[in-house]
Amino acid sequence: MMAFRINRSYLTATIVLVGIGVWMGTGTLRIGGQATASAEAQSIAERQESTLQTVAVRVKTLQASDRRRELEIRGRTQADATISVRAETSGIIAERFVELGQQVVPGDLLCRLDSGAREARVLQAKAAAEQAEAEYSANAKLQKRGFAADNRVRALKAALDAAKAVLQESELELGRVEIRASVSGIVQKPLAESGDLLSVGGICATLIDTNPMLVTGQVSERDISNLSLNQPAEVALITGETRVGRISYIAAAADAATRTFQVDIEIPNDDNSIRDGVTATANVPLKAVPAHLLAPSMLTLSDAGDLGIRLVDLETGTNKFEKIVILGETKEGVWVTGLPETVTVISVGQEYVVDGQPVEPLFAESAQ
């Protein structure tokens, strides 16, 4: 009885193994009641061929036209120069002659220092110079008659020159008590007060030269080559004013952090109505370039994330992605550059094809 049971177990195991072998031999796998035979699976070549099947797309033929470009530079106004008028000698300010916001021109008196003993030194130096002049003149006359030695006359001449130098230095020192404007400008802070003690180099007043005014902005390394000195620019201020200026400075080196170049645009400000530090936008016209007008719906992205369009080669019947550069947007569409003069672009269906895939172009009306 026991032997019979053991033989029956072996028999059952044998049947199960045979069944598994038969199932594996058929290569049929059932998942969720659906069978997929490996013999029916597509090969890689077949799948690739299936992927690149011809797809019908709608296309348009576009012709390039010259498009004027403008480079927009955002920045702020900046005074052409800010000058700190400093004392050339030390002393207490006896009087200040200007107020904040006052317009001055070169030569205007800003501050006067207490002269102190400077006037007395000038009188003393003048007297010494006159004495030296008298002694030299008398001995020079005696020398002509042979009553004075040549060495003494030369010594007196040297003493006279030294006395004149001391007098000149004393007069210059006295003149330094008057601190005058060296340029035209508007008085700004810091501004000294009467009674302040100024040392040599101390600031009497600060002048800001606002004519011409500068608009300072940053330009990317991609666009900097399009600019040149004296290039015209139209500047719009946040206050609503507009000015026409010219590029007066282009930095030779980029900012290490932003990789942008500083550009200064000089604008006239005869009435001093433009203030320093105002937000401004400058538009610089650039050379016209061939460009195409596209509908925004024609744009697509490559696998690398580049913005572009898909073009159709009518000879081969295939398509390819072409990267573009946007020049600007209008109500009619987007102006782009970077394409051949005449192109056939996919207007509908560009999202359903890949590079090199054959397409069946269905032409719509030609666009601009």
Side-chain angles (χ1 to χ4, degrees), residues 70-236:
E70 283 191 345
L71 178 62
E72 184 179 84
I73 304 175
R74 296 181 180 273
R76 62 181 181 85
T77 58
Q78 180 178 321
D80 184 40
T82 300
I83 301 96
S84 297
V85 184
R86 302 176 183 271
E88 297 181 71
T89 187
S90 60
I92 295 175
I93 297 178
E95 191 173 2
R96 194 190 73 193
F97 297 90
V98 293
E99 301 295 335
L100 286 174
Q102 182 176 335
Q103 177 75 40
V104 298
V105 296
D108 283 355
L109 185 59
L110 306 179
C111 301
R112 178 184 287 123
L113 304 180
D114 184 8
S115 60
R118 294 179 181 86
E119 291 181 358
R121 293 195 189 98
V122 170
L123 294 175
Q124 183 180 8
K126 187 179 292 186
E130 290 175 354
Q131 178 66 31
E133 176 72 31
E135 291 183 0
Y136 169 72
S137 297
N139 281 270
K141 292 177 181 179
L142 292 174
Q143 181 191 28
K144 291 180 180 180
R145 290 189 251 171
F147 297 114
D150 293 342
N151 289 342
R152 177 165 175 74
V153 174
R154 282 195 294 268
L156 291 174
K157 180 64 169 66
L160 174 61
D161 292 341
K164 289 182 177 179
V166 171
L167 174 60
Q168 185 178 10
E169 183 180 357
S170 300
E171 289 174 341
L172 287 174
E173 179 65 16
L174 178 61
R176 292 189 180 108
V177 300
E178 292 186 345
I179 305 175
R180 297 181 179 273
S182 56
V183 297
S184 297
I186 299 174
V187 178
Q188 298 288 320
K189 291 182 179 181
L191 177 63
E193 299 288 344
S194 296
D196 286 349
L197 174 62
L198 293 185
S199 58
V200 177
I203 296 176
C204 161
T206 303
L207 303 181
I208 180 171
D209 185 6
T210 60
N211 187 31
M213 182 68 77
L214 299 180
V215 174
T216 300
Q218 301 292 326
V219 175
S220 70
E221 54 188 354
R222 181 186 63 186
D223 297 321
I224 195 64
S225 61
N226 295 318
L227 302 182
S228 60
L229 292 177
N230 296 318
Q231 199 168 351
E234 183 174 344
V235 178

Side-chain angles (χ1 to χ4, degrees), residues 39-80:
E40 298 173 356
Q42 289 182 324
S43 65
I44 295 177
E46 291 173 337
R47 290 198 301 271
Q48 185 175 9
E49 182 179 355
S50 175
T51 302
L52 296 180
Q53 289 179 350
T54 301
V55 177
V57 294
R58 189 172 296 277
V59 299
K60 286 185 177 181
T61 299
L62 303 177
Q63 186 72 29
S65 59
D66 286 341
R67 171 73 176 176
R68 294 199 66 84
R69 299 177 296 160
E70 283 191 345
L71 178 62
E72 184 179 84
I73 304 175
R74 296 181 180 273
R76 62 181 181 85
T77 58
Q78 180 178 321
D80 184 40

Side-chain angles (χ1 to χ4, degrees), residues 60-63 292 294 309 311-312 339-345:
K60 286 185 177 181
T61 299
L62 303 177
Q63 186 72 29
H292 295 80
L294 304 178
I309 59 175
L311 303 181
V312 175
L339 301 174
E341 184 175 353
T342 302
V343 293
T344 300
V345 58

